[in-house]
Amino acid sequence: MHSVRVQEEDFSIHAEWKACHERLGGKAGAVVSFVGLVRERSNTGNVSRLYLEHYPGMTETSIEQIVAKAQQRWSLFDVIVIHRVGELQPEDQIVLVIVASAHRADAFAACEFIMDFLKTEAFFWKKETGDEEAVWIEPTLNDTYRREKWQK
Amino acid sequence: MHSVRVQEEDFSIHAEWKACHERLGGKAGAVVSFVGLVRERSNTGNVSRLYLEHYPGMTETSIEQIVAKAQQRWSLFDVIVIHRVGELQPEDQIVLVIVASAHRADAFAACEFIMDFLKTEAFFWKKETGDEEAVWIEPTLNDTYRREKWQK
Amino acid sequence: MTTQSITIQVKFFASLRESLGMSQINLTVPVESTVEMLLKEIQDTYGRDNPLIDIRHVHVAVNQQLVEFDQMIEQDDEIAIFPPITGG
Amino acid sequence: MTTQSITIQVKFFASLRESLGMSQINLTVPVESTVEMLLKEIQDTYGRDNPLIDIRHVHVAVNQQLVEFDQMIEQDDEIAIFPPITGG
């Protein structure tokens, strides 16, 4: 069971969590959630706005593939991924990942795995507006390293 | 910044997350939450009820110490731990851990660390009622192993 | 040589509380008693048919701090005896 | 030997979209063109002062599947050209 959405609108952790909990019944013992937020400072300085671009269709497919990989690797009851696009500002929610499993080890690993692959294999492009100019963000080596450790 | 509570009442992820988000401002980029739920089946069979006993005072102190260890080890903006005690049944929430940090690696690691130590160093005792009799749960070797890997 | 005694509060948790049928008791023990001596005293008095309080299986806290069994007990100490914890 | 041509749709994303000043264009290319030939054609036509479309830096998807640059292009293909992704 899983759900993948790419949307401009904000999301409610409460609503997603509630729906997830209702679907689970008494099977799941562990639910791990990740929320990514826009930070007011990035590696390059202050951030006043963040623009997220995506490739409609292909972006959703790339996330579906990441979720499928996680479901093959761990025993998961439910996976929810919501990724926002468009204009965001500091404190805004960017991404939500909820993973439910029988045991916490699977839920933690799968949630972190999904985030590491979202950073490196999902079709999004970020543009940060700082105090003055707007710049397209370059991928970081750290993100690549984090993805590659899952291949070991 | 942190908050530790041991209580019989249920908790609202929504309320805790909202309060956490408001305290954070634009500093945090990553919030990882763990929710533990009562499973309808355990290693020993069906579960109809779960009773959680604690040692008032010492239990809270043991959790505070776990949180302090996590805060020394990682850079965390906020940690919330709520652990329920008393009579629970399948699908009930047992424990909530929320960890906020600038980056996801710290938040994931600290949240998993806190859970692994809650399982092995927080003063709780669990009694499961199955189809017939009630049994006090024994600690599992797996929990001990999971805690010890953090010492490496 | 005078023999003095001290009064302490002993708490039991979980399976131990149930099997002893009490969650708390005030005891008087000789001065310079250790935790190990207290455990034997409790086992002799309350646990003859009950191996639960076996010192190989229980943990002990004195004033809410986990201690080794050679720890000396003092007047008004709060002693807690319990099986291995199973939290989370 | 007859020379035929095919029509494709090309999409640009992120910095590439901005620097080329267009998000989408329909192009006609010779049959048996590869992705690499298409990239060179676009760079020659639109990117003379603009190193952004350098084939060492861009990724290409054909019909929403990432491809190598020796991939052959076919009639009605949807080709997307974009810089490295930065998601999450």
Side-chain angles (χ1 to χ4, degrees):
Chain A
M1 201 157 51
H2 70 276
S3 158
V4 168
R5 275 132 64 198
V6 177
Q7 60 188 42
E8 293 203 3
E9 313 83 72
D10 198 6
F11 50 79
S12 152
I13 296 177
H14 178 60
E16 301 306 325
W17 162 252
K18 198 157 164 277
C20 173
H21 197 173
E22 276 162 17
R23 284 195 297 271
L24 288 172
K27 285 185 303 177
V31 182
V32 173
S33 316
F34 177 87
V35 177
L37 302 164
V38 182
R39 293 167 64 213
E40 64 199 0
R41 286 191 64 80
S42 73
N43 302 333
T44 49
N46 290 331
V47 176
S48 61
R49 281 184 300 136
L50 181 69
Y51 174 73
L52 264 155
E53 184 163 330
H54 80 302
Y55 183 175
M58 189 165 178
T59 303
E60 288 83 347
T61 305
S62 63
I63 300 174
E64 292 274 356
Q65 286 166 349
I66 293 165
V67 171
K69 268 191 238 176
Q71 283 174 318
Q72 278 161 28
R73 190 154 170 171
W74 293 281
S75 178
L76 310 176
F77 294 133
D78 202 356
V79 178
I80 298 166
V81 178
I82 303 178
H83 206 300
R84 292 179 70 193
V85 290
E87 288 287 353
L88 301 173
Q89 56 188 37
E91 300 191 38
D92 279 353
Q93 305 183 134
I94 308 175
V95 56
L96 172 68
V97 179
I98 298 181
V99 176
S101 183
H103 302 286
R104 71 188 186 283
D106 284 0
F108 272 116
C111 190
E112 195 166 2
F113 173 95
I114 289 169
M115 275 310 304
D116 286 348
F117 279 79
L118 276 181
K119 286 276 182 182
T120 49
E121 298 197 351
F123 290 84
F124 294 103
W125 298 272
K126 271 183 182 165
K127 186 186 188 180
E128 269 179 19
T129 304
D131 294 326
E132 294 170 17
E133 52 173 8
V135 289
W136 289 96
I137 302 302
E138 302 277 333
T140 70
L141 278 178
N142 187 45
D143 281 336
T144 306
Y145 163 76
R146 286 183 60 81
R147 181 196 57 199
E148 281 169 4
K149 78 174 162 39
W150 294 104
Q151 262 113 46
K152 281 172 199 160
Chain B
M1 201 156 52
H2 71 276
S3 157
V4 168
R5 273 132 66 198
V6 177
Q7 61 188 42
E8 293 203 3
E9 312 84 70
D10 198 5
F11 51 79
S12 153
I13 295 178
H14 178 59
E16 300 306 325
W17 161 253
K18 197 157 165 278
C20 172
H21 197 174
E22 277 162 16
R23 283 194 297 271
L24 288 172
K27 285 185 302 176
V31 183
V32 173
S33 316
F34 177 87
V35 177
L37 302 164
V38 182
R39 294 167 64 214
E40 65 199 359
R41 285 192 63 82
S42 72
N43 302 334
T44 49
N46 290 332
V47 176
S48 60
R49 281 183 301 135
L50 182 68
Y51 175 72
L52 264 155
E53 182 162 332
H54 78 303
Y55 182 176
M58 189 164 179
T59 302
E60 288 84 346
T61 304
S62 64
I63 300 175
E64 292 274 355
Q65 286 166 349
I66 293 166
V67 171
K69 269 192 235 175
Q71 284 175 319
Q72 278 160 28
R73 189 154 170 172
W74 294 282
S75 179
L76 310 176
F77 294 134
D78 203 355
V79 178
I80 298 166
V81 178
I82 304 178
H83 206 301
R84 291 180 70 193
V85 291
E87 286 288 354
L88 302 173
Q89 55 187 38
E91 301 190 37
D92 278 354
Q93 305 183 133
I94 309 174
V95 57
L96 171 68
V97 179
I98 298 182
V99 176
S101 181
H103 302 287
R104 71 186 186 283
D106 284 1
F108 272 116
C111 191
E112 195 166 3
F113 174 95
I114 289 169
M115 275 309 305
D116 285 349
F117 280 80
L118 276 180
K119 286 275 181 182
T120 49
E121 298 198 350
F123 290 85
F124 293 103
W125 298 272
K126 272 183 180 164
K127 186 186 188 180
E128 270 180 17
T129 305
D131 293 327
E132 295 172 18
E133 52 173 6
V135 288
W136 289 96
I137 302 302
E138 301 277 331
T140 70
L141 278 178
N142 186 44
D143 281 335
T144 306
Y145 164 76
R146 287 184 59 82
R147 182 195 59 197
E148 281 169 4
K149 81 175 160 40
W150 294 104
Q151 263 115 44
K152 281 173 198 159
Chain C
M1 185 178 159
T2 60
T3 310
Q4 289 180 295
S5 63
I6 54 176
T7 305
I8 54 170
Q9 187 186 56
V10 184
K11 291 169 182 270
F12 305 100
F13 289 95
S15 50
L16 213 57
R17 171 181 57 71
E18 283 190 347
S19 97
L20 292 173
M22 58 186 173
S23 61
Q24 190 172 320
I25 188 173
N26 291 325
L27 287 181
T28 301
V29 296
V31 286
E32 304 197 340
S33 288
T34 63
V35 164
E36 184 164 2
M37 290 157 72
L38 172 67
L39 287 172
K40 285 192 173 131
E41 164 83 17
I42 293 170
Q43 184 158 34
D44 287 348
T45 312
Y46 303 98
R48 285 206 168 279
D49 302 325
N50 185 341
L52 253 183
I53 200 159
D54 191 317
I55 59 172
R56 288 166 304 181
H57 296 128
V58 299
H59 297 283
V60 176
V62 174
N63 300 325
Q64 305 202 351
Q65 295 287 328
L66 273 185
V67 297
E68 302 293 329
F69 292 171
D70 59 0
Q71 167 95 13
M72 205 77 81
I73 293 170
E74 310 209 352
Q75 173 70 27
D76 295 329
D77 273 351
E78 173 183 306
I79 319 270
I81 306 174
F82 42 77
I85 56 184
T86 50
Chain D
M1 184 179 156
T2 60
T3 308
Q4 289 179 294
S5 64
I6 54 175
T7 304
I8 53 170
Q9 187 187 56
V10 184
K11 291 170 183 268
F12 305 101
F13 289 96
S15 50
L16 213 58
R17 172 181 56 71
E18 283 190 347
S19 96
L20 292 173
M22 57 186 173
S23 62
Q24 190 171 319
I25 187 173
N26 291 325
L27 286 180
T28 301
V29 295
V31 287
E32 304 199 342
S33 288
T34 62
V35 164
E36 184 164 2
M37 289 157 71
L38 173 68
L39 288 172
K40 284 190 174 134
E41 163 84 15
I42 293 170
Q43 185 158 35
D44 287 348
T45 313
Y46 303 98
R48 285 204 168 280
D49 303 325
N50 184 340
L52 253 182
I53 201 161
D54 190 318
I55 58 171
R56 288 167 304 180
H57 296 128
V58 299
H59 296 284
V60 176
V62 173
N63 300 326
Q64 306 202 352
Q65 294 285 330
L66 273 185
V67 296
E68 303 293 328
F69 292 170
D70 59 1
Q71 166 96 12
M72 205 76 80
I73 293 170
E74 311 209 351
Q75 175 69 28
D76 296 328
D77 272 352
E78 173 184 306
I79 319 271
I81 307 175
F82 42 77
I85 55 184
T86 50

